[in-house]
Amino acid sequence: MSFATIGRRLHRIQTHLQFLLPLVLLSPHSTSASLLSHSSHHCLFQAFHQTLSTHQNSPLQIHHFSTLQQHSSRFLGDPFEFNRERFQIHDELQHPGLLRLLKLLEQVAPLPTEVEAMASLDESGIESSVDMVRSAIWVLRKECKLALLAFKWGDRWGCCDEEAWNLMIWVLGNHLKFNTAWCLIRDLHRSSMDTRRAMLIMIDRYAFANDPDKAIWTFHIMEKFRLSPDQEAFYMALNALCKHEFIEEAEEFMHGNKKLFPLQTEGFNIILNGWCNVSVDVFEAKRIWREMSKFCLTPDEMSYTHMIACFSKVGNLFDSLRLYDEMKKNGWSPSVKVYNSLVSVLTQENCLKEALKLLEKMTELGLQPDSTTYNSIIRPLCKARKLEEAQIMLATMIGENISPTIDTYHAFLESADFSETHGILSRMRKAKLGPNNETFLMILEKFFKLEQSENAIKIWEQMKDYEVVPDSIHYTVMVQGLAKCGLLIKGKEFLAAMGSHGFLVDPKLKKLLKEPDSESSSDQTKRLFTQLKGGKRVNHRKVYLIFSIVLISAVSTLPPIFATDHIVGANKGWNPGLNYTLWAKNHTFYVGDFISFRYQKNQYNVFEVNKTGYDNCTIEGAVGNWSSGKDFILLKEAKRYYFICGNGQCFSGMKVSVVVHHLPPPPSSSPMHLSQNSTAAEIPTPGIRALTVSLALIWFGSWGF
C-alpha cells in the first residue's frame, strides 16, 4: 500500500470522526430515554444560539435539483427539490397569520434565551398549523436562525411533519450548519419517522458545500439508521455528486461499489450527464461512451440524449447529426430534448432553414415543441445579432400558444443596447416574468464588458423601479466595473453603500480602488510622446535621459530568461467545451511565469477568483478581471490560482486552476563557470539585448542622433 493511499485513508478517518458525536446517542447501549431526550434538547439549544450569530446576509445561493433519471420513487417528486409549488405558496405575505408570525419571529430572535423567545411566541395567540410552519420555514430559508426558531416553535406544538423536518435539514445544509442538521436527523430517527429522504438531502448538501468525501460517507452510514442503501439511493448519490461537478469522484464511487451495485447503463448515464451537461467536457464524455462499450453496456435513449446535447453546446453539428441518425437506427425515438439540441446547433451554424424544418418534423412525429425549443433558436440568433429573425421566432412562439419564459427575454437582453434594454424590461414586467436579480446582474456585466459605465449606473438606478433589491454580487460587479473604467471615486461610493447595507466587503475590492501613488512609466511615455507630437522644442538630452529611464524600467519588468508564457488551451484558446483541467496537468508553473488567455474580444473574459468562486462559477470577491482578448497575467506568487469566464460560460467548462511553484534552486556552478568571474545578471539576455537595440535604433533614427 502506497504512502499516498495511507494518507488519504487517514484523512478520511479524521474527517469521519467529526460526525460521530451526533450519532453516538443512537447506540443501543445508551443509558436511558430521559438522558437521550435531555441531550437532544441541549444539542438543538446550542445549535439555535450558534445559528443566531450567523450573518443575516448569507451569500449562499439556493440550488434546486432536477433529477434526470426515472425512478419508481416513493417520494413526492424529487427528494432534493424544494420550491414554492411544493408548498403551494403563491403569495405568502397575503396570509395574515403567516405575516404576523414572520414579524414576531424577527422581534423575538434577539432575545437572550430560547425559553424567552418561545414564551413570546406562545403569548402571541397565533395558532400553529402544519402548513403555516412549513411555509414559514420556506419563506425564511435565507435566514437560517429565524427558520430554525419557526421550526422549533412548530415542533413544540406538534405541527412539524416529515416534510417540515426535511425542509429544515435542507435549509441548515444550505447554510453549512451540518452539526445541527445531524441533531435533527437523530431526533427524526427516534421519533420513528423515515430518515431516508433526510439522508439523501444531506448527501446533496455536502456535495453543494464542496465536500464529496462527507457526501459519500453519509451514504455509507445509512445502515446506522436502519436503512439499507439500495440502488435508487445509490443513483441519487451519484446524481448529487455530478450535479455539483464532482464527476470524477462520482465515477470512482460508482466503480468502487460495483460489487454491491453492478455497473449498468443507468449509472453510466448519470456520469455521462455530468460530463455532457454540467461540465460540458467532450473529451471526457467520449471516454465514458467508450467505457460503456468496454463493459458490454449498450447506450440507451438517455445516453444518446446526453451526448447530442454535449456536441450541440460546443457547436459540433456533424457529430450531433451523426449520433441522431445512429440513435434512430438503433431503435431509439429521439425526444423533445434531442430536437432542442439539434435546432440549437443548427441555428448556431447558420442553418436556420434546416432548424425550422426540424420543428415541422417534430410536429409531424407528435412531439410538441416547448419554450425551451424556441429559446434554443432565439438565443443563438440574438447572440449573432440577427434580431429580426429572433423577433419572428418570438412571434411564432406566441402564435403557437407557447408562453415566453424569463430565459427568452434574457436572450434578447444579452444583445440589446441601452435604449432597447428598457423596453425589454418593461415587457418582462408586463408578462410577470421578472426582471429579477439575475436579470440585472447580467445587464450590469454586459455594459461593463462593453466599457459603458454610464449605462451600467443608469441600469443600477432603475433596479428600484422594478422592486429588485441588489445583493452583494451586484455591488461587487459595480465596484469592479467602475474600478476597471477608472471611476475610482464612484466605485468608493458603491463600496461604502455595500458596507452600509450589511454586506461583507472583500479587502481586495478596496485594493482595486486604491489611488496610484505616482505616475507609471507607461503614463510618462504617453505624456512624453504627446509633448513631442505637439511640435514643442525639447531638450534632446533630457528626452534621451527620460527615455533611458523608461526603457530600463520596462526591461526590469520583463520576465526572467527562464519564464514561460503558458497559453491556456494552446492553439484552441479560451473557449467553451475544452478540458482545461487536462491542459493544466500537462504544464508546470513557476513564480514569474505568465498565463495568457486568447479569445474573441467582447465575447468572453477572464476573472481571477477564489476557490468558492471557482467551484460555484461566481465572480463574487474576484481579485481581477481582463477582457482584451489577449491577456497576459503574471503568476507572481507560489499558490493555487483560479480563473473563470465571468459571463456564464464557466458552466460550459471555461474555468482553469493552476498551482504555481517556487523556482527550483540553480544548479551548482562548474569550475569553468567560476573562473569566468561573472554572474548571470551581468550577461544581458539575447531577447532583452535585441529589444534594447531595436528601440534605440527606432528612437535615434527618428531624431537624427
Side-chain angles (χ1 to χ4, degrees), residues 473-686:
I473 299 179
H474 294 86
Y475 279 102
T476 301
V477 170
M478 287 298 296
V479 173
Q480 291 175 341
L482 292 169
K484 181 181 177 182
C485 295
L487 302 176
L488 302 184
I489 297 178
K490 195 69 177 178
K492 290 178 181 178
E493 293 178 5
F494 276 91
L495 192 67
M498 182 179 182
S500 65
H501 284 83
F503 296 112
L504 294 176
V505 177
D506 191 333
K508 294 176 182 177
L509 289 178
K510 297 180 180 179
K511 292 183 179 179
L512 289 177
L513 300 174
K514 187 177 180 181
E515 294 282 353
D517 296 331
S518 60
E519 189 177 20
S520 65
S521 59
S522 59
D523 291 335
Q524 294 176 14
T525 307
K526 186 184 297 183
R527 178 170 53 82
L528 175 61
F529 274 90
T530 302
Q531 185 182 22
L532 294 174
K533 192 175 180 180
K536 297 180 181 179
R537 293 188 62 184
V538 295
N539 187 318
H540 284 188
R541 291 184 178 275
K542 184 177 181 181
V543 170
Y544 173 72
L545 178 61
I546 295 176
F547 171 78
S548 301
I549 295 173
V550 172
L551 180 59
I552 293 171
S553 176
V555 170
S556 66
T557 62
L558 290 175
I561 186 171
F562 296 109
T564 303
D565 177 21
H566 303 271
I567 303 175
V568 176
N571 59 344
K572 295 183 179 179
W574 185 234
N575 288 292
L578 297 177
N579 188 354
Y580 292 110
T581 301
L582 181 62
W583 172 86
K585 288 180 180 178
N586 294 327
H587 289 253
T588 303
F589 303 86
Y590 293 105
V591 173
D593 284 358
F594 283 82
I595 184 171
S596 60
F597 296 81
R598 315 293 172 86
Y599 53 90
Q600 186 174 347
K601 188 177 180 181
N602 298 328
Q603 184 171 357
Y604 305 120
N605 55 30
V606 180
F607 277 80
E608 183 184 347
V609 297
N610 53 27
K611 186 178 186 302
T612 302
Y614 180 82
D615 293 335
N616 299 320
C617 285
T618 61
I619 61 173
E620 183 176 4
V623 180
N625 60 85
W626 300 264
S627 59
S628 68
K630 194 173 183 179
D631 307 320
F632 295 86
I633 303 171
L634 176 64
L635 304 173
K636 56 185 178 180
E637 296 182 49
K639 66 174 186 178
R640 179 175 284 278
Y641 285 80
Y642 300 92
F643 300 98
I644 67 170
C645 181
N647 62 357
Q649 293 299 327
C650 173
F651 294 102
S652 299
M654 293 183 68
K655 55 191 296 188
V656 62
S657 174
V658 301
V659 177
V660 178
H661 306 278
H662 288 288
L663 285 169
S668 58
S669 301
S670 64
M672 181 182 67
H673 289 152
L674 292 173
S675 65
Q676 293 177 356
N677 194 25
S678 62
T679 63
E682 295 172 347
I683 305 175
T685 63

Side-chain angles (χ1 to χ4, degrees), residues 1-105:
M1 184 182 297
S2 66
F3 288 108
T5 303
I6 295 173
R8 285 195 297 269
R9 291 190 177 182
L10 288 174
H11 173 71
R12 289 179 180 176
I13 292 172
Q14 183 181 9
T15 301
H16 297 165
L17 286 175
Q18 298 175 4
F19 303 96
L20 292 180
L21 181 60
L23 302 176
V24 166
L25 298 179
L26 286 172
S27 172
H29 303 292
S30 300
T31 55
S32 65
S34 60
L35 179 60
L36 293 178
S37 176
H38 174 75
S39 300
S40 170
H41 176 76
H42 180 69
C43 179
L44 279 180
F45 180 76
Q46 283 186 330
F48 171 73
H49 285 287
Q50 288 173 1
T51 310
L52 283 179
S53 63
T54 305
H55 198 277
Q56 293 186 5
N57 299 302
S58 174
L60 293 175
Q61 300 294 321
I62 306 300
H63 292 271
H64 302 299
F65 177 70
S66 178
T67 183
L68 296 170
Q69 309 301 325
Q70 299 297 324
H71 301 299
S72 57
S73 177
R74 54 197 172 115
F75 302 130
L76 178 62
D78 186 346
F80 303 144
E81 182 180 8
F82 292 92
N83 51 40
R84 296 170 64 92
E85 289 72 20
R86 190 182 189 97
F87 303 104
Q88 299 180 350
I89 301 173
H90 301 291
D91 194 350
E92 60 270 8
L93 298 183
Q94 294 300 318
H95 192 296
L98 179 59
L99 183 59
R100 283 184 59 203
L101 176 61
L102 296 177
K103 291 183 177 179
L104 186 59
L105 286 169

